[in-house]
């Protein structure tokens, strides 16, 4: 027969995943054994960012969200500043947070709000993003489950 469906509410799994492996919390393997298998039916994760620019106002504040209403695809949405969001990217695979930020940044580049990558320079771009753009559970790991992305 068919496996039963279990419904969870208000899990805040992204917060819980960050605590895994800490004292008094389950080990990190709990992510792969269980948490990665929970599929969000409705997902909304907002993030706010700032970026320095070489011209006034010298700081560009921007925000956006990752949105999904199952079975639809994940959407990267950029806040337009008018109380509305504009779809930037749609995908069947959930982006990691670093990838999400880069998608928002690329949309701002297309609008001309920030400099293009080639005008910024590779070294400056690396210094701005750093070498680590994912959380531990978003990393490619041996025997890791990527079920959380679908």
């Amino acid at each position: 027969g068919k496996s039963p469906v279990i419904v969870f509410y208000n899990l805040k799994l992204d917060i819980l995943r960050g605590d895994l492996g800490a004292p008094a919390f389950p080990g990190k393997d709990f992510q792969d054994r269980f948490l990665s298998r929970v599929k969000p039916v409705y997902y909304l994760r907002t993030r706010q960012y700032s970026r320095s620019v070489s011209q006034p106002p010298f700081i560009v504040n921007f925000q956006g969200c990752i949105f999904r209403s199952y079975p639809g695809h994940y959407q990267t949405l950029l806040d337009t500043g008018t109380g509305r969001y504009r779809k930037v990217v749609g995908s069947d695979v959930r982006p990691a947070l670093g990838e999400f930020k880069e998608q928002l940044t690329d949309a701002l580049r297309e609008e001309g709000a920030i400099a293009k990558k080639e005008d910024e320079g590779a070294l400056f771009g690396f210094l701005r993003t750093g070498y680590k753009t994912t959380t531990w559970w978003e990393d490619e790991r041996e025997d890791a489950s990527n079920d959380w992305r679908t």
Side-chain angles (χ1 to χ4, degrees):
K2 199 172 180 182
S3 298
V5 174
I6 301 172
V7 178
F8 300 96
Y9 290 96
N10 196 22
L11 292 179
K12 299 192 178 200
L13 289 181
D14 292 338
I15 294 169
L16 177 60
R17 286 179 176 113
D19 292 333
L20 294 178
F25 287 92
K28 289 184 176 183
D29 65 320
F30 188 62
Q31 159 65 17
D32 299 315
R33 288 186 295 111
F34 179 71
L35 294 180
S36 66
R37 296 171 191 218
V38 176
K39 304 288 184 206
V41 173
Y42 185 80
Y43 185 83
L44 181 66
R45 171 102 189 242
T46 59
R47 305 300 285 171
Q48 298 176 342
Y49 302 102
S50 295
R51 186 173 180 98
S52 59
V53 293
S54 60
Q55 299 175 25
F58 302 110
I59 297 285
V60 174
N61 296 311
F62 60 101
Q63 62 186 12
C65 67
I66 302 172
F67 172 76
R68 182 187 199 186
S69 179
Y70 188 83
H73 60 268
Y74 287 96
Q75 300 176 54
T76 296
L77 305 174
L78 177 65
D79 188 334
T80 62
T82 61
R84 308 194 98 166
Y85 287 89
R86 177 173 65 88
K87 182 178 173 182
V88 175
V89 177
S91 175
D92 290 331
V93 177
R94 178 177 152 191
L97 287 180
E99 182 183 353
F100 163 69
K101 182 179 179 183
E102 191 62 29
Q103 291 170 345
L104 294 179
T105 304
D106 288 345
L108 292 173
R109 283 188 180 107
E110 289 174 15
E111 291 177 358
I114 60 174
K116 303 247 182 250
K117 274 187 179 180
E118 52 274 6
D119 297 337
E120 197 172 64
L123 177 61
F124 192 63
F126 172 77
L127 293 174
R128 185 182 295 282
T129 58
Y131 80 97
K132 181 83 170 138
T133 59
T134 57
T135 60
W136 71 265
W137 52 270
E138 295 172 329
D139 287 339
E140 293 293 326
R141 295 173 288 119
E142 189 175 327
D143 300 326
S145 171
N146 283 325
D147 289 348
W148 63 273
R149 296 195 80 177
T150 59

